[in-house]
Amino acid sequence: MNVLGIETSCDETAAAVVSEGRVVLSNIVFSQIHLHRPYGGVVPEVASRNHLASLEDVVARAVRQSGLGWAGLEALAVTYGPGLASSLLVGLSLAQALALRLCIPLIGINHLEAHIYSPLLTTLEPAWPDLCPMIALVASGGHTSLIHVAAPGKYRPLGWTLDDAAGEAFDKGAKLLGLDYPGGPSIDRLSQAGDPQYISFPRGRVRSSTASDLCFSFSGLKTALLYYLRAQATPPTADALAHIAASYQEAIVDALLDRLQLAVTRERVAHVAVVGGVALNSRLRQKLECLARAEGVQLLLPRPEYCSDNAAMIAGLAGSGQGITGPRAWTLDVQPNLEIGETQLCS
Ligand code: KG4
Ligand code: ZN
């Protein structure tokens, strides 16, 4: 099945065409990062207005580049949550109108479940059921959670963040350090020249009496950085800044790895997927390789273009048979707070 996917949940306007849930025929992403950079974060009003201005062209390019033309499309998949309500609305409205016009089925997709599917894009083998049960670490700008995937579409949350997401911790830390938005790539770059042991920042362990010990907490780390910077008599030199960034990054990476390792040992899975924008982090990727070797698990990492928000993962997940279809898809409303696994409860 050839599926056109549309994604507008945050600040990327994206469309893609994917065949058989795995073969990406086109993947167009218009990133709005440059439009939000002056504000140091995503401004919802700016995001939705720019989705509106660029989505039509992004979709037309994806269809053209796929080589299939409009007539070759067999279904239309769209993100209906979670994300910014006014941004989701732009994608969902266009998708509903377009699917009606093309007389093809509409499929509503959960953005986070699509991230979990992203490592499966581009290779036909192995089939998804053969990789299950697996554990997925979803680490993005808005979400951080550990999910047990018993089978395609069967999700069980193991741990989640009690405050900031990992990507948010990178973004807020970068702001304190005076680095560019988005903070993840800025800290990643600067840390290449830094010593990760320079400062020992807290790893945000959660006591099991308050929540699952597989949960995350990053707000204390951000405060620790703030207090460290305030306690310095003079602004850090360029060298010290690289050391501070590397130490801060190390604390986020270690927190993610610590909980992931615990989950892998407890659940005894053979496959681990790490997905979302933070999966681009070079230090995380380096340390994940070591964890995978030590634990004897196979690591599933998406290709870089499928880590950050894109529509190929939306079309791919729909092509694999997941998502909301049938009459319910036509009356679907946006769900800004949609959780992983909720799509299955609704469909
Ligand atoms: O998945 P994504 O594109 O959007 C959401 O669904 O949130 O993730 C964006 C997040 C941002 O917080 C950004 O700082 C982070 O991913 N990010 C990184 C890197 N590249 C992007 N974090 C750490 N290291 C990176 N190289
Ligand atoms: Zn995302």
Side-chain angles (χ1 to χ4, degrees):
M1 183 163 69
N2 297 317
V3 182
L4 168 65
I6 292 180
E7 154 66 40
T8 60
S9 66
C10 192
D11 60 343
E12 262 92 27
T13 314
V17 178
V18 176
S19 174
E20 307 314 322
R22 304 288 283 255
V23 183
V24 182
L25 301 179
S26 63
N27 182 37
I28 308 289
V29 180
F30 168 69
S31 173
Q32 299 181 8
I33 282 177
H34 61 288
L35 300 169
H36 299 276
R37 188 167 285 134
Y39 306 100
V42 178
V43 182
E45 171 82 11
V46 173
S48 57
R49 281 179 185 278
N50 282 283
H51 286 311
L52 207 51
S54 50
L55 184 58
E56 225 181 292
D57 177 55
V58 167
V59 168
R61 278 167 56 203
V63 175
R64 207 167 40 242
Q65 276 190 21
S66 74
L68 295 175
W70 298 102
L73 302 175
E74 292 164 287
L76 205 162
V78 62
T79 306
Y80 73 101
L84 302 170
S86 53
S87 289
L88 289 163
L89 207 51
V90 176
L92 185 60
S93 308
L94 183 88
Q96 285 170 333
L98 198 54
L100 266 178
R101 168 68 183 82
L102 296 171
C103 295
I104 55 176
L106 181 69
I107 306 170
I109 291 292
N110 180 321
H111 177 88
L112 298 173
E113 295 174 11
H115 269 302
I116 293 176
Y117 184 80
S118 62
L120 280 89
L121 292 168
T122 66
T123 52
L124 282 171
E125 295 291 335
W128 193 8
D130 296 339
L131 297 171
C132 296
M134 66 181 201
I135 283 177
L137 169 62
V138 185
S140 69
H143 292 85
T144 297
S145 40
L146 273 169
I147 309 289
H148 182 270
V149 187
K154 298 231 172 311
Y155 307 101
R156 177 167 51 94
L158 301 170
W160 48 91
T161 178
L162 303 182
D163 37 62
D164 294 343
E168 204 176 349
F170 272 109
D171 295 337
K172 288 179 174 172
K175 208 170 192 171
L176 292 173
L177 292 169
L179 305 174
D180 258 355
Y181 174 84
S186 304
I187 290 185
D188 195 349
R189 257 192 315 274
L190 185 61
S191 300
Q192 311 284 334
D195 172 9
Q197 315 301 334
Y198 187 68
I199 310 159
S200 174
F201 284 119
R203 266 52 177 169
R205 239 174 230 110
V206 174
R207 278 198 311 276
S208 50
S209 56
T210 34
S212 159
D213 56 354
L214 294 175
C215 283
F216 304 92
S217 170
F218 293 107
S219 61
L221 169 63
K222 180 193 58 197
T223 312
L225 174 62
L226 176 69
Y227 286 174
Y228 175 85
L229 292 172
R230 272 195 194 155
Q232 307 308 303
T234 53
T237 61
D239 278 354
L241 195 64
H243 296 326
I244 301 166
S247 306
Y248 185 80
Q249 170 176 273
E250 197 74 355
I252 300 176
V253 167
D254 280 355
L256 294 173
L257 284 168
D258 174 74
R259 270 24 58 101
L260 180 60
Q261 180 152 30
L262 203 55
V264 167
T265 353
R266 270 188 206 161
E267 302 289 337
R268 298 169 185 278
V269 294
H271 296 94
V272 170
V274 181
V275 302
V278 178
L280 284 167
N281 186 267
S282 52
R283 183 68 173 160
L284 176 65
R285 285 189 171 230
Q286 208 177 45
K287 290 189 118 178
L288 277 169
E289 299 286 349
C290 300
L291 181 143
R293 261 197 308 275
E295 297 295 328
V297 293
Q298 194 196 337
L299 196 56
L300 306 168
L301 288 172
R303 280 168 51 162
E305 62 269 39
Y306 307 132
C307 284
S308 35
D309 288 348
N310 66 89
M313 64 184 191
I314 307 299
L317 182 61
S320 81
Q322 300 289 316
I324 292 187
T325 53
R328 236 183 70 72
W330 298 107
T331 54
L332 207 53
D333 197 0
V334 297
Q335 291 194 30
N337 300 315
L338 189 67
E339 304 275 355
I340 294 174
E342 248 184 276
T343 305
Q344 288 62 41
L345 298 177
C346 301
S347 50

